[in-house]
Amino acid sequence: MLTKIKGTYLLWILLLILPIIDSFNGLLNNGGNKGGISLGIIYRLMVMLGCALALIAYKVRKRIAIFYALFLGLLILSLSLNSRNMGQYLNLLVRLVLPLLIITAIESCVRAGVVRNNLTRGLFLKWRYWVPITIFIPYLAGMGFHTYENATGYKGLYYAQNDIGYILIILYLFSIYELSKKIEFMNVVAVMALLICNLLLGLKSNYILTVVITVLYFLKREQKRTDRSKKLLVMAAVMVGLLFILAAYGDKILLILKRWQHFYVQRDLISFLTSSRSERVLPAYKWLKSNLGFFGILCGSGVGYQWHTWGTRVDIIEMDLFDIFFQLGAIGVSLVYGFYFFVIKRYCATGFFKWGFWLSLLYSTLVGHVLESALSGMFFALLCCGSIFEYYGNRVNEKIEYI
């Protein structure tokens, strides 16, 4: 049992250093993986090994075992359709499966009683400082990468701006939620640090969601007069912080706004808000239906749909719901989303973990790079695990059946 506990906490340590590993990986690989083995790949292989050991040590629910059997069969079928792009597609599928493995492994550990405390919340409490630090330090050192061309936006040493954008907005929601529970100095610091990072990044989605989350916090009805007074103090702090941000980074934010204006006049509103992702959906569907018919709708095309426009390869749709549909079909969408909905319903997510889940799916659908991404996929998995910890924390003395 002691060996199992050590193995479980080793997995948790690996997950704890997630933002540091990805930031350092960007430094070593000049912003991304250029082929071959990298620190990021080695790290995720270690996480997968840790998950495998946890699943071997503890029983898996029968329903989850059936799910993996069906999903594995679909993945094998899908891989058989992609001999030309086998390596690329296999890498994509590993990213899709890894969050599922993390959730299953941690659920097995928590259900077995190896860990009791909500370690997910502990991770988020640390990450809300660590992630901004991994952005601020390279920025002050004159290192890191811009989000867009012409030195627009800034994403630290991270490779994919949508990945780090998703993490920043979820951490901002978490920090706002913690602030609403207890107004203290460190909670205010976390909110301000994440607010600066979201503004520096320069993504439309993050700007819009930051405003929405902040406004909803201030509109939240408070029962006690003391809470309302504290909220006014927070509002004053936020306004001072915004003035500081505009004074220090106003020129960079202005470049971002000018970039938005340039693209807005060239596109309709939906295309502008989705950064042209929505324009790829209909051509991909027509390609899928004309080439694979009903089989393609059911089982997908692997990555074949990436060749759907003008006979040349384009990137993935970058909207997770549609990408999973075109890759694995309606069956794949049902299995993947069914798994996540099962988790959120089965473990009765509340508070931040509930709203974080739905915000994640919204971000995943409109911006993408969540369910099929190495960095944000792992982050989303741990967010889902928060509800698992809370659920079992309230049922310590109950007998758990493996169904």
PDB file of all heavy atoms in Angstrom, residues 73-74 253:
ATOM      1  N   GLY A  73     -11.576   0.283 -30.071  1.00  0.00           N
ATOM      2  CA  GLY A  73     -11.977  -0.283 -31.357  1.00  0.00           C
ATOM      3  C   GLY A  73     -12.177   0.788 -32.413  1.00  0.00           C
ATOM      4  O   GLY A  73     -11.754   0.631 -33.566  1.00  0.00           O
ATOM      5  N   LEU A  74     -12.793   1.909 -32.022  1.00  0.00           N
ATOM      6  CA  LEU A  74     -13.003   3.015 -32.951  1.00  0.00           C
ATOM      7  C   LEU A  74     -11.685   3.642 -33.366  1.00  0.00           C
ATOM      8  O   LEU A  74     -11.482   3.987 -34.546  1.00  0.00           O
ATOM      9  CB  LEU A  74     -13.907   4.072 -32.310  1.00  0.00           C
ATOM     10  CG  LEU A  74     -14.216   5.313 -33.162  1.00  0.00           C
ATOM     11  CD1 LEU A  74     -14.958   4.932 -34.429  1.00  0.00           C
ATOM     12  CD2 LEU A  74     -15.017   6.335 -32.349  1.00  0.00           C
ATOM     13  N   ILE A 253      -1.529  46.817 -26.371  1.00  0.00           N
ATOM     14  CA  ILE A 253      -2.965  46.551 -26.455  1.00  0.00           C
ATOM     15  C   ILE A 253      -3.568  47.272 -27.656  1.00  0.00           C
ATOM     16  O   ILE A 253      -4.454  46.748 -28.344  1.00  0.00           O
ATOM     17  CB  ILE A 253      -3.660  46.954 -25.150  1.00  0.00           C
ATOM     18  CG1 ILE A 253      -3.170  46.051 -23.999  1.00  0.00           C
ATOM     19  CG2 ILE A 253      -5.173  46.857 -25.271  1.00  0.00           C
ATOM     20  CD1 ILE A 253      -3.689  46.447 -22.633  1.00  0.00           C
TER      21      ILE A 253
END
